[in-house]
Amino acid sequence: MSANEDQAHESFIKTPTHLVIAIALGFAVPVGLALLFAKLATSGRTYDKESPAMSAAEIAKRIQPVADADAGAGARGGLALKTGQDVYKAVCAACHATGLNKAPKFGDRRDWARFLKSGQKALVQVALKGQGAMPPRGGSPDLSDIEVERAIVHMANAAGAKFTEPAAPAAPRAATNPAQITASAVAKPDGRQVYETTCMACHAAGVANAPKLGDKKAWAPHLAHGVNELHQSALKGKGAMPPKGGNLTLSEAEVKAAVDYMLSAAK
């Protein structure tokens, strides 16, 4: 091998200084390349807070579709109640428009005559709980009690009745002090109202051997068991009577108040 070839293969690191320089370059070159690529990747992108695109109005505009969708999900909130005509068209017309399953036809006075005799409250209870081929609430469980009653009034009045359409419930006023809140919380439920909206369907006419309201003889065997047992029977159900009279939205206090109301009428 010639002297020139020996020099070509000879390392340039000949002193400790050369070694330090080589190590420094080994670190500096990769770091420099990484910084260069990062600069190229982010070039042209600015996030200036003063930019018009970052203004509150522009941000609101960009998120508007999402915000609208979220607000619409709970827009009804139990306040935008449907009219009787709306409920009839959406739910009741399926049977009552043609008399399907022996349903009284809309506007047919002869078909409706025997139903109208029972009165508005009794018809509403039938619609809420269902009867025969008609399911509870016409098969639409999302309807409120008021919406169901409005539909009954709409159909009944079209057949000659003069029923009164229920108004939307007034929004409860906020109590102005803790004493008012306490008084409202402990107020005793209206037993008569619970009876008229739930219990009346059976106890007014003695359906399924239910003791009729005010019939002392019919209530005597039940009174012998004591008030507490009657309360429990009403809450848990007994015989043909379902728990809470079939209205599971009632509180324990409301059920007991209805029982007490019926007992007081039989004394």
Side-chain angles (χ1 to χ4, degrees):
M1 183 177 295
S2 66
N4 290 335
E5 289 177 336
D6 289 339
Q7 291 178 357
H9 289 85
E10 193 175 314
S11 172
F12 76 93
I13 300 175
K14 297 180 178 179
T15 67
T17 302
H18 291 167
L19 178 61
V20 171
I21 294 174
I23 293 173
L25 288 175
F27 281 103
V29 172
V31 172
L33 290 174
L35 291 175
L36 177 61
F37 285 126
K39 180 65 176 177
L40 291 174
T42 58
S43 63
R45 298 184 184 182
T46 59
Y47 299 93
D48 184 3
K49 293 183 179 180
E50 301 300 324
S51 170
M54 298 300 290
S55 67
E58 289 299 318
I59 293 174
K61 187 183 297 184
R62 290 195 292 273
I63 68 171
Q64 185 174 2
V66 175
D68 287 349
D70 290 343
R76 188 179 178 204
L79 297 178
L81 297 173
K82 298 176 182 178
T83 66
Q85 184 177 20
D86 289 340
V87 177
Y88 167 76
K89 290 180 178 179
V91 179
C92 315
C95 292
H96 288 279
T98 61
L100 183 66
N101 293 325
K102 298 182 179 181
K105 292 178 64 175
F106 183 79
D108 190 319
R109 293 178 179 241
R110 181 178 297 179
D111 276 2
W112 278 92
R114 64 189 180 92
F115 296 100
L116 298 182
K117 290 180 181 179
S118 60
Q120 180 173 341
K121 291 181 179 179
L123 276 180
V124 171
Q125 290 306 308
V126 170
L128 289 172
K129 298 182 179 181
Q131 187 176 83
M134 181 180 68
R137 301 177 190 270
S140 184
D142 61 316
L143 290 176
S144 68
D145 289 3
I146 290 180
E147 289 171 323
V148 172
E149 185 168 5
R150 285 180 174 182
I152 290 296
V153 171
H154 174 68
M155 291 187 288
N157 288 352
K162 295 182 179 179
F163 290 171
T164 302
E165 179 171 315
R173 291 184 296 177
T176 56
N177 58 59
Q180 287 181 316
I181 296 175
T182 303
S184 175
V186 300
K188 185 176 180 180
D190 188 341
R192 179 175 180 176
Q193 183 179 10
V194 177
Y195 164 78
E196 292 179 346
T197 57
T198 302
C199 315
M200 182 178 176
C202 293
H203 288 279
V207 176
N209 296 322
K212 294 176 65 175
L213 181 71
D215 190 329
K216 295 183 179 181
K217 186 176 181 180
W219 277 95
H222 301 281
L223 286 169
H225 296 294
V227 177
N228 288 336
E229 186 168 335
L230 287 176
H231 284 166
Q232 293 306 310
S233 295
L235 289 168
K236 298 178 180 179
K238 186 173 182 179
M241 179 179 67
K244 296 186 177 183
N247 186 354
L248 298 181
T249 63
L250 293 175
S251 67
E252 181 175 330
E254 288 173 322
V255 173
K256 290 181 177 180
V259 172
D260 293 343
Y261 169 74
M262 290 188 284
L263 291 177
S264 65
K267 292 180 179 180

